[in-house]
Structure formats: C-alpha cells, structure tokens
Amino acid sequence: MSRGRSAPRPRVLLFWRDSAAIDPLRAAPPEPPVVSDMYLPIPCTVQPEQVREYPYAALLPDGLRERLTAWDGGAAEHPRYQADLSLAPGWKVGGHANWSLTDPYPVDCEACGAAMTLTFTAASSDWHGPHCTWRPSEEPPTASPDTVGVQIGRGYALHVFRCPESYEHPAATAMQ
C-alpha cells in the first residue's frame, strides 16, 4: 500500500496468540525500545461497548448512496449518515474505516494481494464535538473527547488492517 503515506505514522506489529498459551498477566506492560509520547496512551480503563456501524458512504451501492445524499440534504435537525450514523469515531476493534482525508482505496496484502480487513482503529479523540451522536451518554457535556491522550498526525485516526489469508502476513495501516 503506497497511497496516503506522506505523514509519519507509528510502526504497527500484530501478534496472534492462543489465549490458553498466555502466561499470567505481567505487573507492568513491557516497554518498547523507542517511545514517542504522542503515541503513548495515558493510563485509563477500557469500557467496551458493541455498536453497529455501516460503510463509508462512497463505498455504498450507487442507488443507496444517491438516496442517502438526498436524505442528508433534508432538515438540519436530523442526524447525518456519515457523521452521525455510519462510522463510530474513537478507538475500536473491527468496524469500517472512515476515509475522511482521501477517497477510499483498496488496502491489499503486500505478501499475497488479498483485500485486507480492518482490525483496529486508534484515534486522536473518542468523539467529535459536544453534540456528536457517538458521544457516550454518561459523559458530562464538558468532558473532553481526548480520553486516551494519543495524537495521530494532526488529529486523525490510524486504521490497522490484517490479511484474511494468513496471520503471518504483515499488517498494513492507513492514516485518515
């Protein structure tokens, strides 16, 4: 994958292990040999929740995309497909990539050419603005959307893709 590589991004390595073969948890996580503070999360708790996402609008079939464009052009008070309904912001496992900086492009495995699958997204913020529909309802209105303290580029997200053919093939990334 060569498109969209103008900005530096963190090096990503994925390791697949059998949970039954993992030793007891360590008291402290291992330190990598080089750490950039902008990619080092602040200590926090993980509160996972399952949400339903839908693909980036440009990847939808033509007829559906046209209907959504017409619907999005309606009343200002109703939610927008792209910003409010389809793509959850923040850190996530799986889901769909938000191609907000470039047009969507294929992310193919450099080892075998297979279309890769979005595995993980690390984002610079957990939600967008005070009225974002993805903002957790338990967060007070004054809460910061920057709960992890990681800065990807100029406030972007880093999408990590894996090859569906082999876990041994290298991961690919896209910063959007």
Side-chain angles (χ1 to χ4, degrees):
M1 181 181 80
S2 61
R3 294 183 61 188
R5 289 206 175 208
S6 59
R9 60 185 85 158
R11 182 174 176 219
V12 175
L13 300 172
L14 295 179
F15 296 94
W16 303 97
R17 301 181 294 188
D18 179 351
S19 61
I22 297 176
D23 292 330
L25 291 177
R26 297 177 182 190
E31 280 286 325
V34 177
V35 176
S36 171
D37 287 342
M38 67 189 301
Y39 298 135
L40 186 63
I42 58 173
C44 58
T45 54
V46 176
Q47 298 172 339
E49 63 179 300
Q50 188 172 3
V51 298
R52 182 174 303 257
E53 282 194 316
Y54 298 96
Y56 187 74
L59 297 174
L60 296 171
D62 290 342
L64 178 57
R65 190 173 59 248
E66 290 164 5
R67 289 191 342 241
L68 278 172
T69 300
W71 180 77
D72 274 351
E77 64 273 0
H78 77 69
R80 304 282 186 210
Y81 174 80
Q82 194 75 18
D84 299 313
L85 302 175
S86 65
L87 300 163
W91 291 58
K92 60 185 177 182
V93 175
H96 297 278
N98 186 347
W99 298 97
S100 58
L101 295 178
T102 66
D103 288 336
Y105 57 86
V107 180
D108 298 325
C109 178
E110 67 180 40
C112 72
M116 298 183 88
T117 304
L118 180 63
T119 300
F120 179 75
T121 299
S124 296
S125 64
D126 285 336
W127 65 86
H128 307 293
H131 305 293
C132 175
T133 57
W134 293 102
R135 187 177 150 278
S137 58
E138 64 272 9
E139 292 291 343
T142 57
S144 170
D146 182 14
T147 59
V148 181
V150 169
Q151 182 71 25
I152 305 293
R154 294 182 176 163
Y156 308 128
L158 182 73
H159 303 299
V160 180
F161 298 85
R162 71 166 180 87
C163 177
E165 300 299 320
S166 175
Y167 290 116
E168 295 177 4
H169 292 174
T173 60
M175 188 179 344
Q176 292 287 314

